[in-house]
């Protein structure tokens, strides 16, 4: 299959191009599109065949359901059984935006779209291209991140094509995404509500809005979560993983630099080609074959934006080992450290 690239302006996308993409979705096709978090791979959420093709294109295990995207609040009604009282408030406050809500699903949703679960994950993205595509398609769009399963999520159309060129019908290219990490997944079917995946909406903001909010144990885990510990199916699969084994070093900033340097040196002595994933503040301190910065520690949003890109760039260097600097865990940092831990397969050294 030839993958069509449709370039569009992120603010004012050309409606003819959006309609071309929407026609593909309506015909059961697969279209990658930008959101404010990462690029998603979209298919009609109510079309079983299209969803099966979506899982196949991504090589995604069938037990890991995608998020269903809508373009206005009222569209949530036909997808869910009931809206809990706290959900209405949360939707008004955080949508459109990087927050996914898990709710009891309705019979209108095919089982494959939710991997056989009785719940559905829904969000309204804050991106004009995504919203226009959903509107013109006239259906809810199921969209996992547009990467091959296990790889870092794509933050540009080029990343999408690296993984999926020839496997999908089209990609809407509106340049790099703004946040760079996926949405926060909040389960509203339990009391208190529970964060199943940290992401673009900080935990602290949810606590402010809802009072009590639980952090799923897997969110804060610094070791591989046990099967059964997770209700977000995606959390148990290997994720965001670069090709080479990655070790994450956590602790105080100064100790991290020392430990990463020490590990880099000993791995180089073993004859390995070593990459260090550093920050602007520390990049000049390392001697390794490849040193990449995730961005400046003074601007967390910059690190979030660059993280997946840096992981993909390191992959292209064909290194044997990666050493990554740890970061704090407050606010949006929680999502960053969670992705780093998962990318390392929980190979973590504490200083
Ligand atoms: O920012 C995002 O959320 C991006 C953009 C494209 O919107 N999408 C995304 O989708 O990250 P995906 O499929 O890569 O991640 C969806 C996550 C997975 O961890 C999945 O297990 C979880 O949401 N999930 C989906 N349905 C669920 C459900 N019913 N209950 C619990 N977790 C669910
Ligand atoms: Mg994903």
């Amino acid at each position: 299959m030839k993958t069509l690239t449709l370039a569009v302006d992120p603010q004012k996308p050309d409606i003819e191009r959006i309609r071309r993409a929407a026609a593909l979705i309506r015909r059961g096709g697969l279209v990658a599109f930008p959101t404010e978090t990462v690029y998603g791979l979209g298919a009609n959420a109510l079309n079983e065949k299209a969803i099966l093709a979506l899982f196949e294109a991504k090589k995604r295990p069938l037990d890991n359901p995608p998020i269903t995207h809508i373009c206005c609040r009222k569209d949530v009604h036909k997808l869910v059984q009931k809206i809990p009282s706290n959900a209405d408030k949360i939707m008004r406050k955080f949508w459109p935006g990087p927050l996914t809500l898990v709710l009891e699903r309705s019979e209108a949703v095919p089982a494959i779209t939710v991997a056989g679960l009785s719940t559905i994950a829904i969000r309204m993205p804050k991106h004009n291209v995504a919203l226009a595509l959903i509107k013109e398609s006239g259906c809810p769009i199921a969209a996992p991140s547009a990467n091959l399963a296990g790889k870092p999520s794509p933050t540009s159309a080029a990343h999408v094509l690296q993984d999926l060129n020839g496997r999908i019908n089209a990609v809407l290219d509106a340049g790099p995404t703004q946040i760079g990490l996926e949405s926060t997944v909040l389960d509203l079917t339990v009391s208190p509500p529970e964060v199943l995946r940290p992401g673009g909406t900080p935990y602290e903001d949810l606590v402010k809005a809802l009072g009590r909010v639980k952090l799923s144990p897997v969110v804060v885990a610094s070791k591989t979560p046990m099967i059964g510990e997770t209700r977000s199916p995606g959390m148990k699969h290997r994720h965001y993983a670069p090709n080479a084994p990655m070790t994450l070093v956590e602790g105080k900033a100064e100790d991290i630099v020392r430990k990463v340097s020490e590990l880099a040196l000993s791995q180089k002595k073993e004859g390995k080609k070593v990459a260090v994933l550093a920050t602007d503040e520390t990049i000049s301190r390392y001697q390794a074959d490849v040193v990449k910065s995730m961005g400046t520690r003074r601007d967390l949003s910059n690190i979030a934006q660059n993280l997946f890109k840096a992981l993909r760039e390191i992959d292209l260097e064909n290194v044997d080992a990666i050493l990554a600097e740890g970061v704090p865990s407050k606010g949006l940092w929680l999502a960053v450290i969670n992705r780093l831990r998962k990318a390392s397969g929980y190979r973590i050294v504490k200083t």
Side-chain angles (χ1 to χ4, degrees):
M1 163 187 327
K2 186 162 162 38
T3 302
L4 182 70
T5 299
L6 296 165
V8 284
D9 183 273
Q11 256 79 47
K12 288 202 183 93
D14 174 3
I15 193 69
E16 286 315 314
R17 293 194 176 174
I18 295 287
R19 285 188 180 138
R20 251 176 106 179
L24 289 167
I25 294 274
R26 273 199 306 276
R27 263 185 260 136
L30 306 178
V31 177
F33 61 95
T35 76
E36 78 280 36
T37 58
V38 300
Y39 274 72
L41 178 59
N44 179 349
L46 305 178
N47 177 336
E48 287 181 34
K49 267 202 189 142
I51 301 299
L52 187 61
L54 174 67
F55 277 102
E56 278 169 5
K58 269 192 64 113
K59 301 188 182 166
R60 178 167 171 126
L62 284 166
D63 67 352
N64 187 11
I67 291 168
T68 295
H69 296 65
I70 57 176
C71 63
C72 49
R73 258 199 333 262
K74 68 174 172 25
D75 290 348
V76 81
H77 293 280
K78 73 165 176 264
L79 301 172
V80 305
Q81 281 186 20
K82 58 174 187 313
I83 311 230
S85 54
N86 54 5
D88 199 51
K89 176 174 158 197
I90 290 295
M91 290 187 298
R92 281 173 201 280
K93 193 165 167 64
F94 293 95
W95 281 1
L99 179 67
T100 294
L101 301 178
V102 174
L103 298 162
E104 303 289 348
R105 76 161 162 111
S106 74
E107 293 300 318
V109 183
I112 188 170
T113 303
V114 292
L117 299 176
S118 61
T119 55
I120 180 170
I122 306 175
R123 89 175 186 102
M124 190 196 300
K126 191 175 183 172
H127 195 297
N128 286 349
V129 174
L131 293 171
L133 177 68
I134 301 163
K135 183 158 179 264
E136 292 298 323
S137 299
C139 59
I141 295 186
S145 49
N147 50 282
L148 282 175
K151 292 284 139 205
S153 297
T155 55
S156 71
H159 296 166
V160 174
L161 292 171
Q162 265 175 18
D163 282 13
L164 300 173
N165 195 10
R167 303 178 67 84
I168 62 176
N169 297 99
V171 54
L172 283 163
D173 180 355
T177 59
Q178 184 219 329
I179 296 178
L181 294 174
E182 303 86 344
S183 62
T184 300
V185 178
L186 180 68
D187 187 350
L188 288 177
T189 67
V190 292
S191 180
E194 184 171 341
V195 172
L196 302 181
R197 176 178 76 179
T201 300
Y203 169 72
E204 290 79 356
D205 293 5
L206 297 174
V207 172
K208 240 181 252 163
L210 281 166
R212 257 178 83 207
V213 181
K214 195 179 159 196
L215 271 179
S216 162
V218 301
V219 166
V220 282
S222 53
K223 61 175 180 50
T224 313
M226 308 293 262
I227 301 287
E229 240 177 11
T230 169
R231 271 180 304 113
S232 182
M235 299 303 274
K236 70 172 182 274
H237 294 288
R238 189 173 143 88
H239 244 119
Y240 316 115
N243 295 327
M246 177 168 129
T247 305
L248 176 65
V249 178
E250 296 189 33
K252 286 205 205 87
E254 256 325 288
D255 298 340
I256 289 177
V257 174
R258 201 174 24 78
K259 190 70 190 172
V260 168
S261 305
E262 191 185 303
L263 290 171
L265 201 66
S266 72
Q267 301 213 353
K268 266 181 81 79
K269 275 194 188 138
E270 290 170 23
K272 288 183 181 160
K273 182 172 177 188
V274 179
V276 171
L277 186 56
T279 45
D280 288 358
E281 287 75 14
T282 56
I283 192 162
S284 63
R285 313 260 309 260
Y286 298 112
Q287 287 178 336
D289 300 291
V290 177
V291 187
K292 283 252 180 272
S293 174
M294 304 181 260
T296 169
R297 283 179 182 266
R298 282 191 302 272
D299 179 4
L300 166 59
S301 61
N302 182 243
I303 292 205
Q305 258 167 10
N306 286 326
L307 174 62
F308 289 145
K309 180 165 169 251
L311 285 173
R312 279 179 180 266
E313 284 172 2
I314 286 178
D315 257 353
L316 294 176
E317 303 272 354
N318 287 316
V319 295
D320 303 305
I322 305 168
L323 297 162
E325 290 184 358
V327 297
S329 61
K330 284 254 178 313
L332 192 55
W333 287 113
L334 179 63
V336 174
I337 192 72
N338 171 266
R339 302 307 187 272
L340 283 169
R341 285 172 177 164
K342 294 187 80 180
S344 77
Y346 296 92
R347 195 179 293 106
I348 300 169
V349 173
K350 303 236 186 214
T351 63

